Amino acid sequence: MAMKEEGKAIHVLMVAFAAQGHINPMLRLGKRLVSKGLHVTLATTEIAAHRMFKTSSTTTTTATKSISGIHLEFFSDGFPIDYDRKLDLDHYMDTLGKFGPINLSKLIQNLSHDRVPKFSCIISNPFVPWVADVAAEHRIPCAMLWIQPCTLYAIYYRFYNNLNEFPTLENPDMSVELPGLPLLHAHDLPSFVIPSNPFGSLPKLLSQMFQNMKKLKWVLGNSFQELEKDAIDSMAELCPIKPIGPLVPSTLLGEDQNLDIGIDMWIPEETCMEWLNQQQPSSVIYVSFGSIVVLSAKQMESIAIGLKNSNHPFLWVVKPSDYPKKDGAGELPLGFLEETRGRGLIVQWCPQTKVLAHPAIACFLSHCGWNSTLETIVAGVPIIAFPQWTDQPTNAKLILDVLHVGVRLMPNKDGLLSNEEVERCIEEIIAGPRAEEFKKAAAELKQGAREAVAEGGSSDRNIQLFVDEIIGNSCDDEGRIGPSMEPKKEEDKETCRQSFAAPGFLVVVPDFLYGDP
């Protein structure tokens, strides 16, 4: 059959917050949707375009405005490009919430034709909850990709809907018991539910989203059923979440590296791979705290001394802060480079996927951001958890008490991390009595992740069901194509679904089949 015209395919719009850890899971979901026969556009704010196009390792160009078959669009967040968006996070998020919906709506109008929306579905993420309002305004069904673990989804849903008791200013240290989850102590909870949380805008966004879940037709999770079964099952009667992950680089899943998709807003230092090639198998401690966290001088010193005293080779990513820090925060202690020369390597950024997959890696000392945690799980590498904020404390709890793939660095009663604690955790995870248990659990999860995304696996089935529903929602009562939100006859939905979902077939669809004029 002939090919469908570009504007007349089943087309999905994904809208992401302009951060690498938000954009990459969206791109990987988009890649899987494209493989199912859908057309996909990713929209984010202009600052992301500025960062993406200036990074030489990114395969996007301003001319093509696409990456691996996914079309790219950008809209203004209300600020000029040179504005420092980290200067006042609350002010930035409030401004984005004001101008983002206006400019995204204009973008959708510009991409549509004859007042008929181009898109059959919009997929948002938690940090742009206003996208659901824009979707409703244009009468387009909306989904959300939850980019943290399903466990966090269960916690936040119950917290923001006042379904369970959580710590208060009067009782800040209370433990929390929730269905499907282990007992959560105060230090295991996400920082946004802690009474002393200093950020106003981010909890406000989450509250807005969880109190307006009725605007979402689907909730998709960047996880897989076998990883968080109890947490996923606990939400089945409240507000289901369907895991369609792990949305990680394809090479970690044993797939063709040419199928990989993602962006890197910082240029990685590939020389670290040459250094890893010279190390013994399962000997290197990989250390990275992501792109946002900047550790205090005391924490940096404790980690540095702990690494030095461990007598293991290490690869440490020390990314310079994007803005000046006081009192030596984020900086290596004096003399450390000379004292560890020949045994350690310090880089400003690295190709993390390649590093985690390298046979020389023994463990990952990580801040436990969910993207990094998933990549580590899929690589089959044990973890030393050092969480800092947002979902990271709960991710560390999962690593220890649910997945059993690592240990956690615990500060002392004064909130300070000691070098002795760093040394203890390194020894425990590499050579302690549970070291083999960690490796075995990590290897089993690695295999489980690959099975989940393989054809017919749990995540692949959930993606296919999502695609089938999008196609079904794009066929109205008379079997016509268009993003109507009205109920459809099941036989017409099935006819339309088959015409679009049949592998290897492309069809021509006449203009008059596209919705109401």
Side-chain angles (χ1 to χ4, degrees):
M1 296 184 182
M3 182 177 290
K4 291 176 290 188
E5 296 177 39
E6 169 66 23
K8 300 172 184 175
I10 299 295
H11 205 139
V12 172
L13 174 66
M14 304 189 302
V15 185
F17 186 74
Q20 182 173 307
H22 295 231
I23 292 173
N24 280 340
M26 280 285 199
L27 285 172
R28 288 168 186 140
L29 171 58
K31 185 75 171 182
R32 296 196 179 273
L33 294 178
V34 168
S35 75
K36 300 289 185 181
L38 303 188
H39 287 241
V40 178
T41 293
L42 172 68
T44 187
T45 52
E46 292 167 346
I47 185 63
H50 175 71
R51 293 169 178 164
M52 289 161 63
F53 296 143
K54 77 173 184 178
T55 305
S56 62
S57 62
T58 301
T59 57
T60 53
T61 69
T62 52
T64 60
K65 285 183 65 176
S66 68
I67 176 171
S68 297
I70 295 175
H71 185 67
L72 302 177
E73 291 287 347
F74 304 96
F75 58 93
S76 173
D77 58 10
F79 291 100
I81 291 297
D82 58 357
Y83 175 78
D84 183 358
R85 286 155 176 79
K86 295 181 181 179
L87 189 64
D88 186 334
L89 182 60
D90 287 345
H91 175 59
Y92 175 71
M93 297 304 292
D94 287 342
T95 304
L96 176 62
K98 178 180 179 181
F99 289 99
I102 297 170
N103 294 325
L104 176 63
S105 185
K106 290 179 181 177
L107 177 64
I108 293 173
Q109 290 172 352
N110 292 338
L111 294 175
S112 302
H113 60 92
D114 297 330
R115 298 190 306 278
V116 177
K118 177 184 180 75
F119 303 103
S120 297
C121 177
I122 295 179
I123 305 175
S124 67
N125 79 12
F127 285 79
V128 285
W130 39 264
V131 171
D133 296 317
V134 176
E137 174 189 341
H138 290 271
R139 298 182 66 247
I140 303 173
C142 190
M144 178 186 66
L145 174 61
W146 181 253
I147 58 173
Q148 294 179 349
C150 298
T151 297
L152 265 292
Y153 176 76
I155 293 172
Y156 283 138
Y157 186 92
R158 295 176 181 278
F159 176 76
Y160 287 111
N161 286 285
N162 299 311
L163 299 182
N164 296 82
E165 292 186 359
F166 284 82
T168 62
L169 288 173
E170 295 73 28
N171 188 9
D173 297 321
M174 72 171 288
S175 296
V176 177
E177 191 169 0
L178 301 177
L181 305 182
L183 181 67
L184 299 169
H185 302 290
H187 66 260
D188 300 322
L189 290 167
S191 59
F192 296 155
V193 308
I194 299 298
S196 58
N197 164 61
F199 298 96
S201 59
L202 299 182
K204 179 181 175 182
L205 284 177
L206 291 169
S207 176
Q208 176 185 344
M209 185 196 73
F210 278 101
Q211 291 173 8
N212 291 282
M213 295 297 291
K214 62 183 180 294
K215 297 176 183 177
L216 300 171
K217 188 172 179 62
W218 306 274
V219 180
L220 310 174
N222 185 14
S223 186
F224 56 103
Q225 182 74 26
E226 297 76 9
L227 189 70
E228 298 185 87
K229 182 181 184 303
D230 291 342
I232 293 165
D233 290 348
S234 75
M235 293 302 298
E237 299 300 322
L238 285 176
C239 193
I241 182 169
K242 297 295 183 182
I244 46 81
L247 301 171
V248 298
S250 59
T251 50
L252 290 178
L253 294 163
E255 300 172 344
D256 186 345
Q257 64 178 357
N258 294 324
L259 298 177
D260 196 16
I261 184 172
I263 58 140
D264 212 329
M265 292 187 181
W266 297 275
I267 300 174
E269 297 181 36
E270 296 283 348
T271 53
C272 65
M273 302 308 298
E274 300 173 9
W275 182 83
L276 284 174
N277 290 338
Q278 301 170 14
Q279 309 305 315
Q280 295 297 314
S282 301
S283 65
V284 176
I285 304 163
Y286 171 47
V287 186
S288 176
F289 302 109
S291 60
I292 297 176
V293 170
V294 178
L295 300 182
S296 69
K298 176 59 180 175
Q299 288 175 322
M300 292 289 290
E301 181 183 25
S302 295
I303 291 171
I305 294 174
L307 288 171
K308 182 180 69 172
N309 292 347
S310 75
N311 291 319
H312 289 282
F314 61 87
L315 169 62
W316 189 355
V317 176
V318 182
K319 179 181 174 293
S321 175
D322 292 334
Y323 48 95
K325 284 290 183 179
K326 298 180 180 179
D327 303 323
E331 297 178 4
L332 295 168
L334 292 176
F336 175 71
L337 290 175
E338 290 74 16
E339 293 168 356
T340 58
R341 191 177 305 279
R343 185 162 59 85
L345 179 66
I346 307 295
V347 296
Q348 294 189 1
W349 201 246
C350 78
Q352 181 162 290
T353 299
K354 295 179 182 178
V355 168
L356 287 172
H358 198 283
I361 297 298
C363 63
F364 183 10
L365 201 171
S366 169
H367 65 309
C368 301
W370 188 236
N371 284 333
S372 286
T373 300
L374 270 183
E375 290 176 3
T376 311
I377 288 170
V378 177
V381 173
I383 303 171
I384 300 175
F386 189 39
Q388 301 298 305
W389 73 314
T390 183
D391 61 324
Q392 296 165 16
T394 312
N395 298 346
K397 178 71 170 180
L398 285 174
I399 288 165
L400 268 68
D401 295 342
V402 177
L403 307 178
H404 307 293
V405 292
V407 297
R408 178 174 179 171
L409 291 171
M410 295 298 295
N412 60 28
K413 61 181 181 180
D414 298 320
L416 300 176
L417 178 67
S418 69
N419 61 279
E420 290 84 5
E421 174 68 359
V422 177
E423 294 170 44
R424 181 191 70 80
C425 284
I426 291 174
E427 179 64 21
E428 183 176 355
I429 204 162
I430 292 181
R434 296 178 61 201
E436 289 304 315
E437 176 187 333
F438 297 140
K439 293 178 183 177
K440 180 180 178 182
E444 290 174 352
L445 290 175
K446 175 180 179 178
Q447 181 60 30
R450 295 187 174 199
E451 292 174 357
V453 299
E455 185 175 358
S458 58
S459 291
D460 181 66
R461 293 195 306 272
N462 282 338
I463 288 182
Q464 187 61 58
L465 287 171
F466 176 56
V467 169
D468 288 347
E469 287 199 41
I470 292 174
I471 293 171
N473 274 278
S474 297
C475 305
D476 70 9
D477 311 61
E478 300 176 17
R480 296 184 299 172
I481 300 167
S484 169
M485 296 177 73
E486 300 300 320
K488 287 91 181 169
K489 295 178 182 178
E490 192 57 40
E491 59 269 26
D492 290 332
K493 290 199 314 186
E494 183 59 26
T495 299
C496 183
R497 181 183 297 113
Q498 289 176 0
S499 70
F500 277 91
F505 286 88
L506 296 170
V507 298
V508 170
V509 184
D511 286 352
F512 64 83
L513 293 183
Y514 277 80
D516 297 325

